[in-house]
């Protein structure tokens, strides 16, 4: 089967998940693991240069579209601002009302543009770019405000994909994302089957843990259906409280360490799907 973007995304996620436990990964190791998963999906990646070129052209096209939309919005804003100044000088209420309507339409267009940049297209929660742009100081890794970060990783997700297929796997990710929204705090899809929840400084570490434990207990008690079969899903999580100015990477590393401790404990209780 000729490789396509969706197939390559699935293979890439499986590869990243597979190497997650490895302390060291060389380029040749990554290539070997990637090729293995491509073969499992009967996907042809022999012409890698052509694949890379097609993907780059696709991404460049998406970036060009975003740039064109942003440029168009900026030009409209400039024109509306000039007309508003003229209307104020001439005390032209009719023109001011027209400009106001144009500006409202422009604001809605800009909001749509922001959504396309910051939303994860599968789960409809925020993405990593949004996390950095909203919580991290410009040109640094320093967090703007104090809070608590939780990193969430699904358990046995590869088994779900291997048993029921990637369409069901995608539905599981959407389900988990929607459950995490119950925290009433910012939910970010951080990686393939990893999520981050950013709790405000009004929520203590203990309260964040309590909230995620409650959501996990609710999820593990449910049976999800795929065709004629049913299965359970669960996740592990780690939490790290931080102060303003803390380094985001260090906070995530700390939360990640706590998550792996939790995963060891949970997998002793929950042994599969």
């Amino acid at each position: 089967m000729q490789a396509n973007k969706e197939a390559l995304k699935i293979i890439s996620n499986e590869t990243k998940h597979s190497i997650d436990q490895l302390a060291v990964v060389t380029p040749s190791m990554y290539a070997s693991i990637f090729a293995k998963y491509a073969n499992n999906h009967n996907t042809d990646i022999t012409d890698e240069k052509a694949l890379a070129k097609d993907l780059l052209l696709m991404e460049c096209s998406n970036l060009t579209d975003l740039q064109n939309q942003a440029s168009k919005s900026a030009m409209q804003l400039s024109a509306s601002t000039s007309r508003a100044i003229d209307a104020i000088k001439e005390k032209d209420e009719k023109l001011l009302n027209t400009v106001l309507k144009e500006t409202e339409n422009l604001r809605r267009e800009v909001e749509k543009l922001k959504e396309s940049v910051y939303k994860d297209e599968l789960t409809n929660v925020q993405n990593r770019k949004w996390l950095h742009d909203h919580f991290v100081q410009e040109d640094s890794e320093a967090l703007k405000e104090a809070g608590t970060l939780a990193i969430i990783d699904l358990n046995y997700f590869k088994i779900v994909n291997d048993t029921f297929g990637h369409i069901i796997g995608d539905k599981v990710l959407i389900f988990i994302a929607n459950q995490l929204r119950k925290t009433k705090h910012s939910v970010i899809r951080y990686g393939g089957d990893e999520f981050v929840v950013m709790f405000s400084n009004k929520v203590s570490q203990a309260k964040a843990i309590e909230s995620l434990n409650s959501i996990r207990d609710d999820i593990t008690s449910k049976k999800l259906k795929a065709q004629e079969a049913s299965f359970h899903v669960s996740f592990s999580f780690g939490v790290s409280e931080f102060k303003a100015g803390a380094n985001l990477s260090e906070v995530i590393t700390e939360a990640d360490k706590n998550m792996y401790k939790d995963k060891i404990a949970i997998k002793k209780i929950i042994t599969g799907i």
Side-chain angles (χ1 to χ4, degrees):
M1 182 179 71
Q2 188 67 30
N4 58 50
K5 187 180 179 183
E6 288 307 312
L8 289 171
K9 280 171 66 176
I10 290 168
I11 295 163
S12 297
N13 283 335
E14 288 183 342
T15 303
K16 285 185 281 188
H17 188 76
S18 178
I19 66 175
D20 208 28
Q21 308 296 325
L22 300 177
V24 176
V25 179
T26 66
S28 59
M29 287 169 64
Y30 184 93
S32 176
I33 295 168
F34 190 96
K36 183 190 77 172
Y37 284 113
N39 185 58
N40 289 346
H41 289 278
N42 194 29
T43 299
D44 181 16
I45 59 166
T46 51
D47 195 353
E48 189 179 347
K49 286 185 178 179
L51 284 174
K53 183 180 177 182
D54 289 343
L55 287 170
L56 280 171
L57 286 172
M58 195 180 301
E59 292 305 319
C60 286
S61 176
N62 290 337
L63 286 171
T64 300
D65 288 343
L66 286 172
Q67 186 181 40
N68 289 339
Q69 290 175 31
S71 179
K72 181 183 175 183
S73 297
M75 290 173 66
Q76 288 176 341
L77 179 59
S78 177
S80 295
T81 302
S82 297
R83 293 175 69 196
I85 291 169
D86 290 341
I88 291 168
K89 285 179 180 177
E90 297 171 13
K91 297 182 179 179
D92 188 337
E93 289 189 14
K94 186 177 179 181
L95 180 56
L96 269 175
N97 285 331
T98 300
V99 172
L100 178 62
K101 288 178 182 178
E102 290 175 354
T103 305
E104 280 296 312
N105 289 335
L106 178 60
R107 184 184 64 80
R108 285 191 285 269
E109 288 298 318
V110 170
E111 287 301 316
K112 287 179 184 177
L113 182 60
K114 282 169 62 180
E115 272 193 29
S116 68
V117 171
Y118 286 134
K119 282 289 180 73
D120 174 64
E121 61 183 13
L122 174 65
T123 61
N124 209 33
V125 296
Q126 311 297 347
N127 60 23
R128 288 174 76 155
K129 179 171 175 55
W130 184 88
L131 170 65
H132 278 265
D133 287 357
H134 283 74
F135 286 93
V136 179
Q137 294 175 20
E138 193 173 351
D139 298 325
S140 78
E141 279 282 299
L143 288 152
K144 295 176 183 177
E145 298 177 359
T148 298
L149 179 148
I151 191 159
I152 294 98
D153 185 79
L154 271 66
N155 296 324
Y156 307 111
F157 186 62
K158 186 177 183 302
I159 297 176
V160 173
N161 276 333
D162 290 348
T163 305
F164 302 110
H166 294 281
I167 292 175
I168 297 298
D170 285 350
K171 289 182 178 180
V172 168
L173 291 173
I174 294 167
F175 170 70
I176 294 294
N178 287 334
Q179 295 302 304
L180 292 175
R181 289 177 192 269
K182 292 178 181 179
T183 61
K184 305 297 183 185
H185 290 270
S186 302
V187 180
I188 299 103
R189 188 179 178 197
Y190 195 72
D193 61 338
E194 282 188 331
F195 295 87
V196 163
V197 178
M198 295 294 285
F199 293 91
S200 73
N201 57 9
K202 295 179 180 178
V203 179
S204 68
Q205 183 166 326
K207 281 290 183 184
I209 291 171
E210 181 184 334
S211 174
L212 289 170
N213 269 325
S214 175
I215 291 170
R216 179 166 62 187
D217 288 345
D218 188 43
I219 287 172
T220 53
S221 69
K222 288 181 168 66
K223 277 188 177 181
L224 303 184
K225 290 188 177 180
Q227 292 93 41
E228 300 301 316
S230 62
F231 62 98
H232 293 275
V233 294
S234 65
F235 62 76
S236 296
F237 68 89
V239 170
S240 179
E241 198 167 0
F242 58 88
K243 295 181 179 178
N247 182 282
L248 175 62
S249 296
E250 292 175 1
V251 173
I252 288 176
T253 298
E254 181 64 26
D256 210 40
K257 287 178 183 176
N258 293 332
M259 185 271 291
Y260 276 106
K261 291 176 186 175
D262 181 68
K263 189 174 283 286
I264 291 167
I266 288 298
K267 283 192 171 183
K268 288 178 180 177
I269 303 167
I270 303 171
T271 56
I273 62 172

